[in-house]
Amino acid sequence: MLSSGTESLGNKLIALGEISALMSVQMPREKILALFSSKLHSLFGAQALAIWTYDPAEDMVILEYGHDLSAAVNSCCVQPVPARMFPEVKLAVDSGNAWVTEDLLDDPLFSDPETQKLLQGMSARAVMSVPLRALTNTFGALSLYFGEPRVFTTEERALALGFANALALSLNNIEAYERLVVSERVKSEVISIVAHQFRTPIATLRGNVELLKDESIGGNAGTRAQIVAELTKVGEKLRGYVEGFLNVKAIDEHRLEPKPEDVNAGDLVKKVTGDLEVYRQQHRIQLDLELPQNPLVIHVDPALVGDALLNIIGNAVKYTKTRVRVALRLESQEAVIAVEDDGLGIPAAEQPHIFQKLYRASNVARHPEASSGLGLYIAKQYVEKNGGRLWFTSTEGHGSTFFLAFPARPPA
Amino acid sequence: MNTPPSRVPTVLIVEDNEEFLTLLQRFLEPRYRVLRAGDGEEGLRLALAEHPQVILTDVLMPRMDGIELLRRLRENPETSDLPVVVLLATASPEDLHAAERLRASTILPKETISRAALLEILENLLAQTAT
């Protein structure tokens, strides 16, 4: 005999109203999932409940939250699993509506042995699955599993859909709120970086102008010329900082257009290390260069790739303890530039983030040559826009090696 | 008692930003003899070797920062009472408190520094040490 839900429709509607009123963007995601799940679970008299997200590109599902599921489902599905193992998720997502199976034993869609085993594991005989949709984006499904075969009334389907919509909207709002909080934090971070980077040069400009105005100092032609030279130097530095920020803007707005030409990678490396020579001397470190005897030609925009190299080698000089080694080699049809230092290294936990915009590793945050957290982001974009790859290996306390690889042109 | 090599008082400036260091030097010369150091390590070495009457130091510097320099100076009986002016480019409350705790004579935000104000501060500090 097919049974129906335990609570009256009126009670269910009241519960939906109550739960929706409780939602707040400041409520943690886990708490919202728990609140919805326990309410729905008891209102519908379900055996178990699952909240799934669906990845259409990979055709995989992930269990976001489970209530009274079997241990097997709980342990397997927090990692992506093929969507065919849980057909109820995709069926709900695709239909855009409540999707039900009144008896799973009779349904050929659930005949896959793996699926059968998982369903039996949680003693499920009937399922109702509703899509999770926020605005136009359907990102998963909410599935209610029942221990007995069961009919689902139109009202119940509509109500489950109502719950799912409220949940989806809440999750969407939380995500938007979190993004906003992060972007506010990033904004204030940018302001403090800008303030720090610009403060000393601006103080230098102001002070030098004060000296120029002072007849007893600025009146002397020699001193005057020296001060003007200082002003120019500081102005150039400031221009460099501003350019860094504008480059990021250009990347973000997709305005970056490389102008590729045939370039000898060895010449490019030599030019960049030459430009860094004064900087190297200031840091009192050794820089070794290993270049191949024959030209190694790559087809790139020399200005952009030169900037990326300047950033990578400049960082190595900045953070190394004693030496930097720059080696250019031909490896599997690629020109690979390896930049190795014996400096601070990047903490393992932070390594996945270092190419992110405005990210600064914790162990360089107090470094005197304040990093804007933009250099590596820009470098990676420049390298990739030129058909290359940029990656690194690093051990904290022992140093890092950055690699830039570009397709090599066969010798003419 | 250590005496400077001439009657002109000696000021040691510890600052890794070359242009700013040069500016401070221009502010102070010829009224003071200026010693330059690009980081805390070099600053400490010059402080102990040259016995300046006053030190001006930046905070964020390679090898040894200004706070660590100040700590080492305070720990050394020879320099424990030496006037030290700390120049701040950040609004970091930690640096500010550390400098206060370590008895910095004056803490100056870099952007507020002018020649007249700096000369006045140094004059006052030297007058205090003379008495």
Side-chain angles (χ1 to χ4, degrees):
Chain A
M1 178 65 197
L2 296 179
S3 65
S4 184
T6 48
E7 292 270 352
S8 77
L9 182 64
N11 281 348
K12 286 175 179 162
L13 279 172
I14 290 166
L16 175 60
E18 279 173 356
I19 210 164
S20 301
L22 274 176
M23 291 304 117
S24 147
V25 286
Q26 283 164 46
M27 191 182 273
R29 186 184 154 85
E30 279 302 306
K31 199 169 168 190
I32 288 196
L33 289 169
L35 199 69
F36 261 97
S37 302
S38 70
K39 204 80 186 170
L40 260 173
H41 183 256
S42 63
L43 278 176
F44 282 86
Q47 174 93 9
L49 176 149
I51 293 168
W52 304 96
T53 49
Y54 174 62
D55 175 1
E58 302 289 328
D59 200 31
M60 302 285 246
V61 295
I62 303 172
L63 179 66
E64 288 293 326
Y65 193 85
H67 195 105
D68 285 351
L69 294 170
S70 66
V73 174
N74 275 329
S75 64
C76 85
C77 309
V78 286
Q79 302 293 333
V81 292
R84 64 172 162 74
M85 284 166 67
F86 298 90
E88 66 273 25
V89 180
K90 211 177 158 208
L91 288 164
V93 168
D94 287 347
S95 72
N97 222 320
W99 185 90
V100 301
T101 289
E102 294 181 343
D103 192 344
L104 289 164
L105 293 183
D106 297 341
D107 195 330
L109 289 169
F110 289 81
S111 56
D112 183 289
E114 212 171 346
T115 306
Q116 281 292 328
K117 205 170 129 197
L118 287 165
L119 290 169
Q120 277 161 20
M122 51 182 173
S123 315
R125 281 293 296 275
V127 61
M128 172 159 61
S129 202
V130 281
L132 290 167
R133 182 177 45 211
L135 307 173
T136 54
N137 175 29
T138 306
F139 57 86
L142 184 157
S143 305
L144 288 158
Y145 302 92
F146 299 86
E148 298 293 332
R150 187 186 195 286
V151 288
F152 297 92
T153 64
T154 315
E155 288 82 3
E156 278 180 329
R157 295 175 196 214
L159 201 66
L161 205 57
F163 267 94
N165 285 343
L167 173 61
L169 199 62
S170 295
L171 295 177
N172 191 62
N173 286 346
I174 291 171
E175 212 172 279
Y177 177 74
E178 281 169 354
R179 271 203 305 272
L180 193 70
V181 170
V182 170
S183 91
E184 280 302 312
R185 194 177 50 71
V186 167
K187 219 186 288 172
S188 96
E189 176 95 333
V190 174
I191 291 168
S192 89
I193 292 167
V194 171
H196 178 241
Q197 273 194 337
F198 284 42
R199 211 169 257 174
T200 305
I202 287 172
T204 314
L205 290 179
R206 279 188 57 233
N208 276 303
V209 170
E210 188 192 334
L211 287 176
L212 280 179
K213 282 197 211 150
D214 186 329
E215 258 313 299
S216 69
I217 299 166
N220 177 307
T223 314
R224 205 181 162 79
Q226 282 172 2
I227 292 174
V228 171
E230 289 287 313
L231 284 173
T232 313
K233 213 153 75 176
V234 178
E236 273 302 302
K237 271 195 182 175
L238 280 170
R239 192 188 57 80
Y241 295 149
V242 173
E243 213 146 80
F245 283 97
L246 292 180
N247 285 340
V248 170
K249 204 162 173 298
I251 291 168
D252 289 352
E253 291 168 2
H254 307 287
R255 285 190 285 107
L256 197 67
E257 283 170 25
K259 296 178 188 69
E261 56 185 83
D262 281 354
V263 181
N264 179 3
D267 290 348
L268 197 59
V269 170
K270 267 193 275 185
K271 184 185 177 309
V272 170
T273 49
D275 288 347
L276 283 167
E277 181 52 21
V278 174
Y279 191 61
R280 182 196 68 76
Q281 285 173 14
Q282 283 171 348
H283 283 77
R284 294 181 246 155
I285 59 111
Q286 184 186 330
L287 196 149
D288 301 323
L289 214 52
E290 284 174 30
L291 300 176
Q293 284 194 327
N294 298 324
L296 197 47
V297 177
I298 53 178
H299 193 67
V300 297
D301 183 326
L304 293 183
V305 172
D307 274 358
L309 257 180
L310 191 74
N311 183 278
I312 301 291
I313 303 176
N315 269 350
V317 170
K318 194 194 302 188
Y319 297 125
T320 199
K321 283 200 196 91
T322 61
R323 62 188 280 268
V324 170
R325 198 171 66 92
V326 182
L328 169 65
R329 275 185 295 267
L330 179 66
E331 283 173 17
S332 332
Q333 263 81 60
E334 275 187 320
V336 180
I337 303 162
V339 182
E340 184 187 344
D341 69 63
D342 62 359
L344 300 167
I346 304 157
E350 303 184 25
Q351 291 186 7
H353 308 293
I354 70 153
F355 290 117
Q356 284 169 12
K357 202 185 334 180
L358 291 166
Y359 190 84
R360 289 181 299 163
S362 58
N363 57 352
V364 300
R366 265 190 72 81
H367 195 277
E369 290 168 68
S371 139
S372 60
L374 297 175
L376 284 177
Y377 169 75
I378 295 175
K380 191 163 169 71
Q381 301 291 325
Y382 281 8
V383 167
E384 288 175 358
K385 283 270 175 198
N386 281 279
R389 297 182 294 130
L390 171 60
W391 73 99
F392 68 95
T393 57
S394 183
T395 313
E396 192 176 7
H398 294 279
S400 310
T401 306
F402 280 79
F403 301 91
L404 296 89
F406 298 92
R409 289 240 151 163
Chain B
M1 184 71 196
N2 303 305
T3 47
S6 69
R7 293 184 57 199
V8 178
T10 301
V11 177
L12 168 61
I13 309 175
V14 192
E15 164 67 74
D16 65 328
N17 182 306
E18 284 229 24
E19 296 86 24
F20 195 64
L21 202 160
T22 302
L23 172 74
L24 294 176
Q25 185 170 9
R26 287 221 168 88
F27 276 171
L28 302 184
E29 282 176 346
R31 213 177 285 190
Y32 296 91
R33 171 180 169 243
V34 170
L35 297 172
R36 298 165 61 111
D39 60 60
E41 254 176 39
E42 201 185 347
L44 186 63
R45 190 179 59 74
L46 282 176
L48 299 175
E50 300 279 335
H51 309 291
Q53 276 70 55
V54 175
I55 294 179
L56 298 184
T57 183
D58 182 26
V59 175
L60 287 179
M61 288 180 293
R63 288 178 278 279
M64 185 192 293
D65 70 16
I67 299 297
E68 182 58 24
L69 168 65
L70 188 53
R71 182 173 296 119
R72 303 271 186 106
L73 291 170
R74 291 297 175 244
E75 280 167 7
N76 189 325
E78 259 187 76
T79 52
S80 62
D81 292 321
L82 187 66
V84 177
V85 177
V86 172
L87 311 169
L88 273 183
T90 58
S92 150
E94 290 85 11
D95 290 340
L96 190 70
H97 293 147
E100 280 172 352
R101 240 190 355 265
L102 292 162
R103 294 184 289 116
S105 315
T106 309
I107 299 166
L108 284 180
K110 279 186 177 178
E111 70 271 24
T112 65
I113 294 173
S114 72
R115 181 163 178 251
L118 189 62
L119 288 173
E120 195 185 326
I121 287 166
L122 293 189
E123 219 161 275
N124 288 339
L125 284 175
L126 289 175
Q128 281 168 24
T129 28
T131 55

